Amino acid sequence: MTVIGERESELDQWFRAEVTATTPGPTRARDQPLSAALTGDRLLELFDAQAASRHLDLMARQLTREGNGYYSIGSSGHESNVALSAATRVDDPALLHYRSGAFFVHRVGRVSGSDPIRDVLLGVVAAASDPISGGRHKVFGSKAAGVIPQTSTIASHLPRAVGLAFALERAAKAGLACEWPANAVVLCTFGDASANHSTAAGAINTAVHTAYQGIAMPILFVCEDNGIGISVPTPRQWIENAYGSRPGLRYFEADGTDTVAAVETATAAAEWVREHRRPAFLRLRTVRLLGHAGSDVEAAYRRPGDLAADLRRDPVTATGRLLVASGVATANAVLRRYDEIGARVAEAAEKVRREPKLSSAAMVMEPLAPTRPTMVRTDALRAATSNGSASHTTDSREADAAEPGEPMTLAQAVNHTLSSLLAHDRDVLVFGEDVGRKGGVYGVTKGLQQSFGARRVFDTLLDEQSVLGTALGAGLAGFVPIPEIQYLAYVHNAADQLRGEAATLSFFSEGRYRNPMVVRIAGYGYQKGFGGHFHNDNSLAALRDIPGLVIASPARADDAAALLRTCVSAARVDGRVCVFLEPIALYHTRDLYRPGDAAWLAPIAGVRHADIGRARAHGTGTHLTIVTFANGVPMSLRVARRLAERGVHARVVDLRWLAPLPVDDLLDHARASGRVLVVDETRRSGGVSESVCAALLDAGYDGALARVTSEDSFIPLGPATNLVLLDEPRIEEAADKLLARS
């Protein structure tokens, strides 16, 4: 038996008393329609899912009290979301609110061989055998039932849902293998408090904006409005006022205590979206019973009258009364059914208590960074066998586009490689702010839209969350998206789409769902004539500490081509989330040592692949090893030449990969000279050099070690830039100091 507390007992007693007191209606056959959407059998099926969800909530709290459970945010009061499962198909992808127990039980129960009760309990006890997260987190997710697991980050799943709705039809027309049919409806549910979050507002705006342009956007937003966010009330009609009359967003509303009306309205909403391929918004009025979570004492901030009013609107009780009043079942039959479901939950809980937990850090981290380097290399080499269409002019100053065998700039190399990837693989999409018609702020994507069309190379809203959300959804639909964030400073507006969504999906689904994507970001400092903080940002710390994220940062054309191909193949093969950081100041750089020498140009013919986590060395000097990346590479090479003129021979090691760091190569080159200077154009605090130094020391390096960095400052406008950014005189000075003391 489930042992329940005072508030849970009150809820249980209310259900029993109300069902018992209901006046029974004339007995009717179970196959007889109650409405256009429900028969008696169907209503019993929905009640079973609601009752199972309720008992799972009670059991989660009991397991937590015993010390065997670790998650007690329940669905009690939200069981009317079972109507959403009744209204949609199993092949309609669902991205759910965390109070979706009844929906989950019903949806998963429609899949042959599934046991949603056991699945939920395995998540509650953090069992390694949990079929979705493998014991890493309690989430509602099921590969077989099309439920994409979500974290508790407020509203962070809405941009992904919009991206998936955008990509469904596009994937079908591209002939991609997509696990959802082209006529699917994306279901996205969230709470009333979440509806106020900027992420939700931006995602809904993107959906409406996209549909306004005549592009398919088959998404049903469902706000499960219980009137409170933890302890903060939502004004009674706020959701309707905020979303009920928005042009381009069809609005529906249903009372969750009226099961028949809820199913009928949810069905009408889902079918409207399926037919029109446009977004709709359903406000499902619910209540929150048993508080926000197990530790929440509602009586501390809610009035007794409000709690009593919510209890009277309990959806499980409402369905139980309807079964009796409509003559589908007697009160005793309903109570017996309810108790039998409770016994099944208790029996399942007794079994899962003994399930093993994750027992090592390696087990926990296994889904974070799947790596099959041989398969990635094979895919990259396959893609590189075709040069694709001709490359395109990447700057108005460059009259002719370079061919692969000709020396080219970094910008030209990125442009040519994108062109080749688009030509070779139909799963590649390139998009972002100004990447289409304009060809990018720096001309890096110039000509791609003309060559490959607006379905594959397109402009987006000026909203980084929506840019990344489009990529998240497109990846689920079978694409390898290559979104562009216009400047590094802008990615911080949307960092949670990488940290909270992209990087966690594989982790919380044990690799069953993946986020293949390569995010191109123009960044770093040293721009000439276009300065200021937001266009010259050198802050990488927020990216580098995201578990499993791959960060590539090329300095020269040939490396740009190789690293970009590798990132795309790693995304396609292993589902990796990659960030491709492009140094703006090196986009069109041609010279290295003196004006006109063209020594920073490089051909990319035959350049196909660069293993993740492998550095590149320039030179073989044994007096000093300079470790650097991006803009630091040409600066360090010039310093190395000046040192050589004084008889000091240095090698310059280009990290290329900022995550994971090329530790083995670092150690080899460090030991070759016994003196390491880390040249880091990012900030001293939280910059790349901290991790490089730590990696060397952790690996046992015991030689001389120093670092030289930019200042802990935002980058100012004009000549003041030079006061805070790392420059060659400081690099040379640091090298001399290191050599002098060792």
Side-chain angles (χ1 to χ4, degrees), residues 47 94 165 239 277-278 319 346-347 605 619 628 665-666:
F47 172 77
I239 296 300
R277 316 308 288 165
R278 296 174 67 83
T319 306
E347 181 182 2
T628 188
D665 290 341
L666 273 174

Side-chain angles (χ1 to χ4, degrees), residues 85 260 271 649 682:
S85 177
V260 173
E271 290 311 309
H649 300 290
T682 66

Side-chain angles (χ1 to χ4, degrees), residues 38 42 45-46 81-89 103 106 110 263 267:
L38 285 176
R42 192 78 188 282
E45 176 187 306
L46 301 185
N81 57 38
V82 73
L84 304 174
S85 177
T88 56
R89 306 184 319 214
F103 176 99
H106 187 264
R110 294 158 68 184
V263 172
T267 301

Side-chain angles (χ1 to χ4, degrees), residues 185-205:
V185 169
V186 176
L187 178 68
C188 180
T189 69
F190 48 93
D192 50 290
S194 297
N196 297 311
H197 199 282
S198 62
T199 309
I204 294 170
N205 181 71

Side-chain angles (χ1 to χ4, degrees), residues 500-521:
E501 288 293 322
T504 63
L505 183 61
S506 181
F507 185 72
F508 290 139
S509 68
E510 205 168 32
R512 292 172 179 83
Y513 286 107
R514 315 183 314 166
N515 279 133
M517 58 194 295
V518 181
V519 185
R520 293 181 47 247
I521 306 176

Side-chain angles (χ1 to χ4, degrees), residues 582-599:
E582 301 168 6
I584 298 170
L586 297 181
Y587 268 148
H588 308 298
T589 297
R590 305 176 65 87
D591 305 325
L592 178 58
Y593 298 114
R594 62 183 183 278
D597 69 4

Side-chain angles (χ1 to χ4, degrees), residues 370 376 468 471 480-485 491 498 502-503 515-521 543 546-553 563-581 612 657 659-660:
V376 170
L468 295 178
V480 179
I482 308 179
E484 176 187 303
I485 300 297
V491 78
L498 290 175
N515 279 133
M517 58 194 295
V518 181
V519 185
R520 293 181 47 247
I521 306 176
L543 295 174
I546 299 177
L549 191 71
V550 173
I551 305 177
S553 190
L563 269 61
L564 184 53
R565 287 190 182 280
T566 298
C567 284
V568 169
S569 291
R572 179 181 294 119
V573 171
D574 288 331
R576 298 301 294 269
V577 180
C578 303
V579 168
F580 191 77
L581 282 170
I612 293 175
W657 303 98

Side-chain angles (χ1 to χ4, degrees), residues 120-204:
V120 171
L121 289 171
L122 287 169
V124 169
V125 302
S129 55
D130 170 10
I132 188 65
S133 78
R136 292 168 184 83
H137 194 46
K138 164 63 184 70
V139 293
F140 287 122
S142 169
K143 185 72 169 177
V147 180
I148 302 159
Q150 303 304 311
T151 67
S152 296
T153 307
I154 299 302
S156 66
H157 61 298
L158 271 75
R160 183 206 298 276
V162 172
L164 180 55
F166 168 82
L168 287 175
E169 182 181 286
R170 204 159 288 226
K173 289 185 176 180
L176 299 183
C178 178
E179 58 189 285
W180 295 287
N183 70 341
V185 169
V186 176
L187 178 68
C188 180
T189 69
F190 48 93
D192 50 290
S194 297
N196 297 311
H197 199 282
S198 62
T199 309
I204 294 170

